[in-house]
Amino acid sequence: MSQKKTVTVLGATGSVGTNTVELLGYHAEKFEVYGLTANSNAEKLAEQAIKLKARKAVIADQGKLAELRERLKGHNIEALAGEQALLELASEKVDWTMAAIAGFAGLDSLFAAVQRGGHIAIANKEPLVAAGHLLKTAAGKCSAVLLPVDSEHNAVFQCLETENKSSLSKITLTASGGPFLSWSYEEMRKATPEQAVAHPNWSMGQKISVDSATLMNKALEVIEAVIFFDLSPEQIDVVVHPQSLIHAFVSYSDGSVLTHMGPADMKVPILHALSYPQRLGTCTEELDIQKLSSLTFQAVDADKFPALNLAYRALEMGQGGCLALNAANEVAVRNFLEEKVLFTDIVDICTKILDMYEGPSQIQSVEMCRQTDERVRKLTESYIIDTYISQSAAI
Ligand SMILES: NC(=O)c1ccc[n+]([C@@H]2O[C@H](COP(=O)([O-])OP(=O)(O)OC[C@H]3O[C@@H](n4cnc5c(N)ncnc54)[C@H](OP(=O)(O)O)[C@@H]3O)[C@@H](O)[C@H]2O)c1
């Protein structure tokens, strides 16, 4: 009987997915890959599926099925396409699932995986921000173990003494500060998408790279931490640490502060989640502590980076506020990448949408979550058209 852990990777062709695939290849003797998914990148998905001898490869874009089939010809890998096929794959039984689809688009497959049970590694933070309470309840009912993959949350997870949770006073998430840490507000106003996605420490997908530049990523992570670790917003702090070597601090009431260090490489938290509760050897470069020259920490400049405070405001508004912040941000980031709004408009748009939000404060079902998300997206799109696009057309 095989002792291998069976695995599915949702969003295998992205930045987190590619790192996961690399680790699965490195530890091929320990894992049996059941399914891999992509949105439209059939070429990369086929390459990965062949390399890992996956049983199934699912592409969300139906139009890419013929290409995927052609590329998988001669290999014993089932090629499927469409959102329904992706959902079905997510709900098929495996021991471990990586949720690494970008954005709210990963909500349904993440829920499907959680409802099926097993270990679920969550990189895909947006569904957690929008519907974290529902996800946690579903996980509790289905005995799913949720493992955080965001490097900061994975660090907290490793430093958290569950038996001493009542003695935990606060957690501090580190933020690299992104590519614009030393830029003036005026310079940021003119930042291009290419400049915004050029992160100094991490190589990531476009959306999270822009979020790191606005610090909205940290705002989403504050919400994620409150929900994931069941803490109050006042217990979550953020500090800028440009070297990205310390990922979080966990402070206890006796004055002890536990911290987690590691190279700025997503393979480290992914491998932790992949091997949990054991530890496997890594294929990444080890951190040479003797070579560390200086570690610096500074407060977030809230005037320059107003996104962070939006997290606390959204949390005060309830799960609906968090959902609205996430939806408005996804729409605003897309409009920035399409060069329809400026970089600094992203956070202004999110602020305005929170001002205008009249939806429910509590989200009681996945259906309610989807509907509210859709309404906020429509509101944000029309706000952007009225405020930025029609205005500039009129000039
Ligand atoms: N990158 C990091 O270092 C990092 C760190 C912490 C957390 N995260 C989180 O992890 C998630 C993934 O980030 P990433 O940087 O890996 O993103 P990414 O590079 O943009 O990759 C996204 C993946 O999701 C797939 N996908 C996108 N839209 C989809 C849809 N509508 N339906 C099905 N599949 C879809 C993409 O397929 P195609 O390739 O075919 O487009 C790709 O496989 C995000 O939530 C992010 O916040 C990322």
Side-chain angles (χ1 to χ4, degrees):
M1 197 178 84
S2 164
Q3 292 301 308
K4 289 184 175 184
K5 229 188 227 187
T6 51
V7 167
T8 285
V9 183
L10 306 170
T13 49
S15 160
V16 171
T18 300
N19 278 311
T20 310
V21 164
E22 210 175 300
L23 287 164
L24 290 168
Y26 186 73
H27 286 292
E29 75 294 351
K30 301 225 178 288
F31 301 99
E32 186 178 315
V33 178
Y34 184 75
L36 300 177
T37 82
N39 188 29
S40 60
N41 192 343
E43 183 178 358
K44 188 163 180 181
L45 180 63
E47 259 171 41
Q48 293 178 326
I50 293 166
K51 181 182 161 210
L52 295 181
K53 301 187 176 68
R55 294 258 298 276
K56 294 187 179 186
V58 180
I59 193 136
D61 181 347
Q62 302 258 19
K64 296 285 182 148
L65 181 59
E67 181 189 344
L68 183 64
R69 285 207 169 125
E70 184 58 32
R71 289 182 183 279
L72 291 175
K73 219 179 218 168
H75 298 273
N76 191 18
I77 301 168
E78 192 177 352
L80 298 155
E83 283 176 25
Q84 191 52 35
L86 200 152
L87 274 186
E88 278 165 21
L89 176 75
S91 51
E92 277 161 358
K93 191 169 163 28
V94 282
D95 300 313
W96 191 89
T97 302
M98 165 57 82
I101 289 177
F104 187 82
L107 178 91
D108 289 338
S109 54
L110 177 53
F111 261 97
V114 167
Q115 282 164 343
R116 182 222 54 218
H119 284 188
I120 320 291
I122 306 185
N124 188 194
K125 68 189 83 180
E126 294 86 350
L128 254 185
V129 167
H133 296 95
L134 297 173
L135 265 169
K136 283 190 72 181
T137 307
K141 277 191 194 151
C142 306
S143 307
V145 178
L146 305 184
L147 300 165
V149 171
D150 238 329
S151 58
E152 299 78 0
H153 302 70
N154 182 268
V156 173
F157 187 80
Q158 295 196 44
C159 296
L160 208 58
E161 297 172 353
T162 36
E163 66 282 15
N164 285 323
K165 177 104 188 282
S166 59
S167 305
L168 185 147
S169 49
K170 68 169 182 178
I171 68 174
T172 307
L173 308 175
T174 58
S176 68
F180 304 145
L181 182 60
S182 58
W183 289 33
S184 68
Y185 183 84
E186 219 20 67
E187 285 169 325
M188 285 200 298
R189 251 180 73 73
K190 296 176 198 141
T192 64
E194 290 71 31
Q195 290 168 322
V197 300
H199 197 281
N201 303 347
W202 302 93
S203 162
M204 309 183 284
Q206 280 202 324
K207 191 260 176 186
I208 184 175
S209 297
V210 175
D211 287 350
S212 296
T214 54
L215 256 67
M216 186 62 82
N217 183 47
K218 215 44 60 179
L220 299 178
E221 287 180 7
V222 166
I223 298 171
E224 184 185 356
V226 166
I227 295 172
F228 202 98
F229 300 112
D230 204 10
L231 297 170
S232 66
E234 302 75 45
Q235 285 177 293
I236 319 287
D237 248 350
V238 173
V239 68
V240 174
H241 167 48
Q243 298 81 24
S244 297
L245 293 173
I246 288 188
H247 304 294
F249 298 91
V250 178
S251 308
Y252 291 92
S253 56
D254 64 358
S256 301
V257 181
L258 303 192
T259 187
H260 172 279
M261 256 184 136
D265 184 338
M266 281 305 291
K267 285 197 201 70
V268 177
I270 294 168
L271 182 60
H272 174 266
L274 188 58
S275 48
Y276 181 83
Q278 276 99 36
R279 287 185 191 268
L280 285 175
T282 184
C283 54
T284 65
E285 218 174 288
E286 265 182 47
L287 187 65
D288 186 345
I289 293 169
Q290 294 200 10
K291 282 196 187 145
L292 297 179
S293 50
S294 67
L295 298 179
T296 60
F297 303 95
Q298 65 195 70
V300 176
D301 180 342
D303 292 334
K304 227 171 84 177
F305 295 107
L308 187 60
N309 284 337
L310 291 184
Y312 296 94
R313 186 167 161 214
L315 282 162
E316 239 173 66
M317 291 166 67
Q319 183 75 70
C322 299
L323 180 155
L325 177 60
N326 180 65
N329 181 56
E330 285 196 27
V331 174
V333 169
R334 184 172 38 73
N335 275 273
F336 166 67
L337 289 170
E338 290 168 1
E339 301 190 58
K340 292 179 184 155
V341 301
L342 298 176
F343 177 75
T344 46
D345 293 336
I346 297 172
V347 179
D348 291 347
I349 291 164
C350 294
T351 308
K352 197 70 196 168
I353 297 305
L354 283 191
D355 290 345
M356 296 196 286
Y357 181 70
E358 287 177 346
S361 70
Q362 295 316 318
I363 303 294
Q364 266 131 13
S365 65
V366 181
E367 192 44 38
M368 188 176 183
C369 176
R370 261 189 236 111
Q371 285 170 359
T372 312
D373 174 83
E374 204 180 314
R375 276 204 296 274
V376 176
R377 276 168 206 266
K378 281 193 184 139
L379 177 69
T380 313
E381 288 289 5
S382 47
Y383 175 73
I384 290 174
I385 290 170
D386 293 349
T387 314
Y388 300 94
I389 300 175
S390 316
Q391 296 290 333
S392 61
I395 290 169

